[in-house]
Amino acid sequence: MCAVGKADMAARGVSVVGVASPDNPACIHGPTVVFERFLQDGSTRKFYACAACRDRKDCAFFLWADQRLSSAKRRLWADLSAAAWTKMTHTQRFHKLKAVRAAAAGERMYCQTCCVLLLRSERAAHSSCSLSSPLTDSHLSHPSTFLPPKENVKVEAQYLFAQRSVEVLVGLAGRGGASGVLCVGAPRIHEAVTSTPSLGLASILMDIDDRFCSFFPPECFLHYNMFNHHFLGGREARTTYTTFLARHQKLVLVSDPPFGGRMELLAHTLRTIEADWRTAASLDPDTTLPVFLVFPYFLEPQVVASLPSLAMMDYQVDYDNHPIYSKGPKGMKHGSAVRVFTNQPLHTLPLPEEEGYRWCEPCQRWVHHANAHCEICRACTSKDGRTYKHCSECGRCVKPAWVHCGTCGGCRPPDHLCAPPLGCYTCGDMDHKHLNCPKRKRSASSSRKSKKRKKRDGKESALPSSLAEERHRDLDILAHLIDGK
């Protein structure tokens, strides 16, 4: 599932100012997050929105922070949550697996519409549904190989690791003598671990895709929103999570989050999991949870800013079903842009030589063969799979096709258009960003509370027209959801 995307929010002048809290109003995906919108006049206003969806068409929840959520709307969202997640319990859906396993592959079926396993003799009740058959034993233990990936880019687009990347990641996770793997949105890692007893690893998958309820028992799969650390399975699921943490003093976390997600929210979740693990497993407060986070190299600044303990490995992660981050004909010319970020010492993590990786003695880490060591920078500087070149004027290595531009004061693509660097979009100064602008107007919450915002005696609300229109859109979306329920 995709959280509110950085580029999407930045275009509208929005930033995260508060993580999801149990005290925040809740939508169907759990507690909402506090954002701050920067208005054209330089003022700001805070609001609550879904932690999981960046498009209001996918989750319509919206509430200005200086407004009160009415009891009617609170009940409405509670009803919508109940309608969204109570079709069948996890236990009910998984219980069918035993009977399906006992049947021949040709008799096994999966209803993609109802998200349940069934036998061929039961297909009449699903005559208008989309059915998958036959199902082999491998399909049942590796459901990601036949379940259609979610394709809504703004909600829960799923891209699945290629087999070779699965093997490398599982190998990395198992190097430190771990007894358990916590998979946060990495179903193929979970499938590989649970189907290979010889690894000696236990695994639990925490993912927003509840279709896995049909294939993994409640003690191995938790319906979960990683952007607000919310267990959609309720108290039972949280207890299962805590029990798993308590059993493994040697634990590794592997996460493959949606690339459009807010890193601030994900970082808070990872820190929360680490704190929960220390408490549950009775560990020292300074014990570090080994983390392997999969994310694009070009988002390294956001990752390091939110999780400074992580460093980027040079391993290129491939996906089976991604049009770009794969080795197919449409894949990137210089290899996938996706990397692994970890808090483990890089010199302890070997990469496969047969895939073109080598050991760099000065850097004391494994790098891609195209990543040439620069004696001036004293590092292997390539990020994107090409061999970078050193620019003496910039004092750093840059992409090989870039040229130094005197107007811009740095290296740029040869066909670039010169433009001044961006500063504060509130006042235009270059020495600070909008969050720290001294001319920024703060939210006048107290004055807004006193304004009339509803029609009374046939008169229109005192809200500005744009906000009034936004409120009407909210009501239209909510009405649509109620009608569709």
Side-chain angles (χ1 to χ4, degrees), residues 206-226:
M206 307 200 312
D207 198 286
I208 196 70
D209 187 352
D210 69 332
R211 295 179 300 175
F212 292 115
C213 289
S214 294
F215 304 93
F216 301 118
E219 63 269 21
C220 290
F221 172 72
L222 303 176
H223 193 199
Y224 175 76
N225 180 356
M226 71 176 73

Side-chain angles (χ1 to χ4, degrees), residues 164-186:
R164 183 55 185 149
S165 291
V166 170
E167 294 170 3
V168 171
L169 288 167
V170 170
L172 293 174
R175 282 192 62 79
S179 62
V181 181
L182 185 66
C183 299
V184 181

Side-chain angles (χ1 to χ4, degrees), residues 459-481:
K459 294 182 179 180
E460 181 60 50
S461 165
L463 282 172
S465 59
S466 61
L467 300 183
E469 290 170 2
E470 192 161 23
R471 169 170 291 176
H472 291 314
R473 285 199 303 272
D474 291 347
L475 294 176
D476 289 342
I477 294 172
L478 287 171
H480 173 72
L481 288 172

Side-chain angles (χ1 to χ4, degrees), residues 42-334:
S43 64
T44 66
R45 197 173 182 190
K46 297 177 182 178
F47 63 92
Y48 295 101
C50 179
C53 301
R54 68 183 184 188
D55 195 322
R56 297 267 296 282
K57 293 178 182 178
D58 300 311
C59 183
F61 192 96
F62 182 93
L63 179 71
W64 291 113
D66 53 18
Q67 292 179 339
R68 185 180 65 86
L69 186 65
S70 68
S71 57
K73 277 193 175 181
R74 196 179 296 275
R75 286 195 301 272
L76 168 65
W77 281 103
D79 291 344
L80 289 172
S81 297
W85 309 124
T86 58
K87 299 171 186 175
M88 291 178 70
T89 67
H90 187 164
T91 301
Q92 288 172 331
R93 289 165 70 175
F94 177 73
H95 182 71
K96 189 70 176 180
L97 181 63
K98 185 176 181 180
V100 170
R101 277 195 185 280
E107 296 299 312
R108 302 167 178 172
M109 307 189 81
Y110 181 79
C111 179
Q112 304 285 5
T113 307
C114 303
C115 300
V116 293
L117 286 164
L118 60 142
L119 298 172
R120 185 169 293 276
S121 59
E122 301 169 309
R123 70 182 184 277
H126 299 265
S127 57
S128 60
C129 298
S130 174
L131 303 175
S132 294
S133 184
L135 299 181
T136 65
D137 289 348
S138 179
H139 285 137
L140 296 180
S141 59
H142 297 76
S144 70
T145 60
F146 81 92
L147 291 176
K150 302 286 188 178
E151 295 180 347
N152 187 338
V153 175
K154 292 186 177 181
V155 184
E156 49 184 335
Q158 291 177 324
Y159 299 112
L160 303 163
F161 295 139
Q163 181 57 34
R164 183 55 185 149
S165 291
V166 170
E167 294 170 3
V168 171
L169 288 167
V170 170
L172 293 174
R175 282 192 62 79
S179 62
V181 181
L182 185 66
C183 299
V184 181
R188 288 214 163 160
I189 302 299
H190 177 71
E191 292 171 355
V193 171
T194 55
S195 63
T196 315
S198 60
L199 292 172
L201 292 170
S203 176
I204 192 168
L205 173 64
M206 307 200 312
D207 198 286
I208 196 70
D209 187 352
D210 69 332
R211 295 179 300 175
F212 292 115
C213 289
S214 294
F215 304 93
F216 301 118
E219 63 269 21
C220 290
F221 172 72
L222 303 176
H223 193 199
Y224 175 76
N225 180 356
M226 71 176 73
F227 291 100
N228 58 5
H229 192 53
H230 178 67
F231 294 88
L232 293 154
R235 187 177 300 174
E236 258 184 64
R238 179 171 281 278
T239 300
T240 301
Y241 156 79
T242 304
T243 301
F244 182 83
L245 297 183
R247 287 176 180 166
H248 300 284
Q249 291 192 332
K250 292 287 187 178
L251 184 69
V252 173
L253 186 150
V254 180
S255 181
D256 181 31
F259 300 155
R262 293 295 298 222
M263 184 49 64
E264 307 98 315
L265 301 179
L266 182 61
H268 181 264
T269 292
L270 297 184
R271 287 191 291 267
T272 301
I273 291 174
E274 183 176 57
D276 291 346
W277 171 61
R278 289 169 181 160
T279 301
S282 302
L283 299 169
D284 293 336
D286 58 349
T287 306
T288 299
L289 174 64
V291 170
F292 292 93
L293 173 69
V294 180
F295 227 57
Y297 77 82
F298 49 80
L299 294 177
E300 181 185 15
Q302 289 92 313
V303 174
V304 175
S306 297
L307 295 164
S309 65
L310 300 190
M312 188 174 76
M313 298 177 64
D314 218 23
Y315 182 69
Q316 299 179 3
V317 179
D318 288 320
Y319 291 81
D320 271 346
N321 63 322
H322 197 290
I324 299 175
Y325 304 146
S326 65
K327 291 184 177 178
K330 296 183 180 179
M332 299 180 72
K333 183 169 32 174
H334 306 290

